[in-house]
Amino acid sequence: MNANPARLHPHPMQAGVPCGACGSSERWLLHMVRHRASYRQMCTDCVLKNHQSLFCPLCLVVFDKESSPLPPPSERLICLNCPSIAHLSCLPPEDAVAPSFLCPLCSNPNFTFFSPNEIGNNERVIDKSLAKALLAAARIAAASMNKAAAAARIDAEKRVKEAAFAKKKAREALERLASLLVSKEKGEDKNDSSRRPIRLSENGGSLSVQGNVQGLKKPTNGMLSVSSPATASTPQRSTHAGKD
């Protein structure tokens, strides 16, 4: 441990918040990551344990295309039980020639990448190795959120294009409907039977109306019978009166 170790205080917004992976509320400095299609707040130890292929488990250097690229096959070792990749130069000479390699986590089930020592007053101290683990977890979390933001931006652009396409289709449908209504109105005006004269014809004791009667919602286009009580109201001459 360094002579002047750093003191770690819990973030006031994260006090008592459990880790999204291990569920422990004793974890400090939770990192926001996107893991398994969901956003979670993970402690430093869980971030590293759930992203073992992104860093060397011995030197805790995060692999990066620009600053720390993935070592070539001749200069790296892959754990037999997990996807951890270690620098060959990080192993002791006697272990570098071993036919198999187990990362610290697979060789020791109780291994933890980050476990600060508590000194009281709700304070903990971290040394250089713990600081490297904290930095590695922070870089992995930042890369995870940057990737999630890029994916969200692509999805948002896709949804905007889909919405614009749907809006265009809806506008075309409305224009087509308006055109059909105009065509229908023109056809009705052309074939409107209200301009033709109404003809009345007497058929027995009723009047037949042929044509379009104003006030009716539906054109008759045929014979409309109108009852006529003429036979009941018209007085008839008595045959006896004529004789008289």
Side-chain angles (χ1 to χ4, degrees), residues 227-241:
S227 299
S228 175
T231 57
S233 58
T234 304
Q236 300 181 357
R237 294 182 60 186
S238 175
T239 56
H240 300 284

Side-chain angles (χ1 to χ4, degrees), residues 22 48 88 90 152 170 198 205 222 224-225 240 244:
C22 65
L48 297 178
L88 185 61
C90 293
I198 299 176
L224 176 64
S225 297
H240 300 284
D244 294 340

Side-chain angles (χ1 to χ4, degrees), residues 13 27 144 153 181 204-205 207 217 231:
M13 296 296 294
R27 303 299 185 180
S144 174
R153 181 168 54 251
L181 291 177
L207 293 177
K217 294 182 180 180
T231 57

Side-chain angles (χ1 to χ4, degrees), residues 2-206:
N2 297 340
N4 296 317
R7 294 189 176 186
L8 189 65
H9 298 269
H11 196 282
M13 296 296 294
Q14 296 180 347
V17 178
C19 172
C22 65
S24 176
S25 58
E26 299 296 329
R27 303 299 185 180
W28 289 36
L29 292 176
L30 299 178
H31 308 268
M32 178 64 73
V33 296
R34 181 173 175 82
H35 182 63
R36 297 179 181 177
S38 63
Y39 295 96
R40 302 183 185 183
Q41 286 186 323
M42 292 187 180
C43 63
T44 299
D45 187 53
C46 289
V47 170
L48 297 178
K49 287 181 177 179
N50 286 277
H51 300 83
Q52 293 174 266
S53 62
L54 302 181
F55 66 99
C56 174
L58 301 178
C59 65
L60 299 179
V61 172
V62 178
F63 300 130
D64 184 83
K65 293 182 179 180
E66 299 179 358
S67 59
S68 302
L70 190 69
S74 59
E75 300 179 6
R76 66 188 182 191
L77 291 175
I78 301 178
C79 179
L80 294 177
N81 296 336
C82 74
S84 292
I85 300 175
H87 296 104
L88 185 61
S89 58
C90 293
L91 274 75
E94 60 274 11
D95 296 336
V97 296
S100 61
F101 168 70
L102 289 178
C103 67
L105 183 61
C106 292
S107 59
N108 181 13
N110 297 323
F111 176 81
T112 178
F113 287 103
F114 189 78
S115 181
N117 297 322
E118 187 172 358
I119 60 175
N121 296 327
N122 205 22
E123 292 182 351
R124 299 186 183 187
V125 290
I126 58 174
D127 56 8
K128 183 178 180 180
S129 62
L130 295 178
K132 293 175 66 175
L134 179 62
L135 178 60
R139 293 187 61 185
I140 292 174
S144 174
M145 294 305 296
N146 289 337
K147 185 178 180 181
R153 181 168 54 251
I154 294 175
D155 184 66
E157 293 175 354
K158 180 181 177 181
R159 291 178 180 272
V160 168
K161 292 180 180 180
E162 292 177 351
F165 181 76
K167 183 179 180 181
K168 179 182 178 182
K169 287 296 183 181
R171 183 171 61 250
E172 292 176 354
L174 291 176
E175 293 175 354
R176 191 179 304 111
L177 178 60
S179 177
L180 292 175
L181 291 177
V182 171
S183 300
K184 183 178 180 181
E185 291 177 358
K186 289 181 179 180
E188 290 179 353
D189 293 342
K190 184 177 180 180
N191 301 323
D192 190 1
S193 59
S194 61
R195 299 178 181 178
R196 294 179 296 176
I198 299 176
R199 297 190 300 272
L200 302 178
S201 61
E202 186 175 358
N203 184 11
S206 63

